[in-house]
Amino acid sequence: MARNDDFFLNRWIEYYGRQFGHENLYIYLDGLDQKPPEKVGNANVTVIEKQGVKVVDAEKRRLDFLSDRAAERFEDGYDLVIGCDADEFLVVDGDSENNLPQYLSSIKINISVSALGLDIGQHLTKELPLDTSKPVLQQRNYALINSRFTKASIIAKPVRWGRGFHRVNGHNFHIDKNLYLFHLGNVDYKMLMDKFNSQDIIARGEQAHYKRARFRVIDIISNKNAVDGDKIFAKARAIQTIFRPIYAWNKPSMLKMKWIVKIPDRFKNIEL
């Protein structure tokens, strides 16, 4: 589900369309004022009534709606369903010989599987503003390992997603060793600032969240030393598997640790 997010949504359609075929993409535009994106192709696009204004109410309604739609896809005969936002891209490790659908078909998924969340952000002193005509990963080199994006995105049966796809209600999670979820929402400071000042964000009361979370990611990436991701990816998966928030046993946690990684070069050729 997306609203006023054509930049990421067009890239989402291109990326997942190459992986799974456009006809297997289901996009729900949040609000009758929304228009289909340019590169929709054969994707299934439905414009719906706006799912609320204030963020907590809107998120609950959004994920209830999407959980119901996912259940319908299983009724249609799909083996797996992926739920993710327009700025989230599931990637198989660059060393794998399989693409995403091949890899997902090769592993056993009982309820759900999660990818390690990498929150990519602009390094303000080392990286230029994003050139939107070029792939993102050729311009961005750093990410925060962020358990908020180690989401239960991939499901093998009808479930109820918690807000933001962060968990599957009533079930545990499993982090796969070869899957990553690249969150691109913070890849460009100016783009983020424009969204921060948009009427949608103001109306939803999300400006405080942007200051606390999104701009904070750019600040941390710009001011902390990065380590080679391959040296700590496995450790991060172990920490997130063992430690859980007190209020949600079925969500991963990084114990407030802020680990910045240099994205391995083998991911540079992935077109996002």
Side-chain angles (χ1 to χ4, degrees):
M1 185 178 292
R3 177 175 174 79
N4 295 333
D5 215 353
D6 281 3
F7 172 77
F8 289 116
L9 186 54
N10 278 311
R11 288 173 183 254
W12 189 96
I13 292 169
E14 285 190 316
Y15 177 73
Y16 288 108
R18 288 196 305 270
Q19 300 275 350
F20 297 103
H22 288 75
E23 68 278 9
N24 295 310
L25 307 183
Y26 292 81
I27 299 160
Y28 301 92
L29 299 180
D30 184 23
L32 300 180
D33 59 332
Q34 300 292 289
K35 294 181 180 180
E38 292 178 7
K39 300 178 180 180
V40 65
N42 294 324
N44 303 277
V45 179
T46 305
V47 181
I48 64 173
E49 292 277 359
K50 200 166 186 296
Q51 297 295 289
V53 177
K54 293 302 180 182
V55 63
V56 174
D57 175 58
E59 268 299 283
K60 184 180 186 307
R61 291 177 61 181
R62 185 174 80 101
L63 269 297
D64 283 347
F65 177 91
L66 292 173
S67 295
D68 290 339
R69 303 291 79 73
E72 292 172 356
R73 301 289 75 78
F74 286 112
E75 291 175 0
D76 292 340
Y78 284 92
D79 299 303
L80 298 173
V81 175
I82 297 171
C84 59
D85 293 333
D87 58 4
E88 297 173 353
F89 297 82
L90 282 163
V91 170
V92 181
D93 193 298
D95 280 346
S96 173
E97 296 180 356
N98 295 325
N99 61 25
L100 183 56
Q102 289 171 337
Y103 184 74
L104 293 178
S105 296
S106 73
I107 61 176
K108 184 178 181 180
I109 305 174
N110 294 320
I111 304 290
S112 72
V113 70
S114 302
L116 184 66
L118 297 182
D119 201 352
I120 300 175
Q122 181 183 0
H123 194 301
L124 293 178
T125 61
K126 294 183 178 181
E127 296 173 335
L128 297 172
L130 196 70
D131 182 342
T132 59
S133 69
K134 297 178 181 178
V136 171
L137 293 182
Q138 292 180 9
Q139 305 175 67
R140 295 294 180 258
N141 300 288
Y142 306 97
L144 170 69
I145 295 181
N146 194 340
S147 59
R148 284 181 54 80
F149 295 101
T150 303
K151 299 185 174 186
S153 300
I154 306 157
I155 57 174
K157 59 181 61 178
V159 297
R160 306 307 295 178
W161 273 306
R163 293 199 299 265
F165 304 104
H166 292 295
R167 58 175 164 170
V168 170
N169 294 339
H171 297 285
N172 204 348
F173 64 91
H174 168 70
I175 307 172
D176 186 85
K177 65 180 181 179
N178 290 313
L179 290 175
Y180 299 85
L181 189 148
F182 288 163
H183 173 241
L184 302 188
N186 304 319
V187 294
D188 187 79
Y189 179 83
K190 183 182 182 302
M191 191 182 300
L192 196 59
M193 183 61 74
D194 289 343
K195 194 159 187 178
F196 172 79
N197 290 318
S198 70
Q199 288 303 310
D200 266 354
I201 298 303
I202 294 171
R204 284 165 61 94
E206 281 196 275
Q207 284 191 310
H209 165 74
Y210 269 62
K211 290 179 181 178
R212 183 178 66 253
R214 290 178 171 269
F215 287 110
R216 180 66 174 152
V217 169
I218 291 180
D219 180 65
I220 294 170
I221 285 175
S222 298
N223 290 287
K224 285 198 68 172
N225 292 328
V227 299
D228 180 359
D230 284 330
K231 292 182 178 180
I232 59 172
F233 284 150
K235 186 181 294 185
R237 290 189 193 95
I239 290 171
Q240 292 188 30
T241 298
I242 295 169
F243 297 99
R244 320 291 178 95
I246 294 174
Y247 58 86
W249 65 269
N250 57 351
K251 288 175 65 176
S253 172
M254 279 297 292
L255 296 175
K256 297 185 178 181
M257 291 184 288
K258 308 297 182 186
W259 288 1
I260 303 301
V261 297
K262 176 81 163 53
I263 301 168
D265 287 343
R266 62 181 179 273
F267 292 100
K268 291 294 182 182
N269 292 326
I270 298 173
E271 291 195 21
L272 301 182

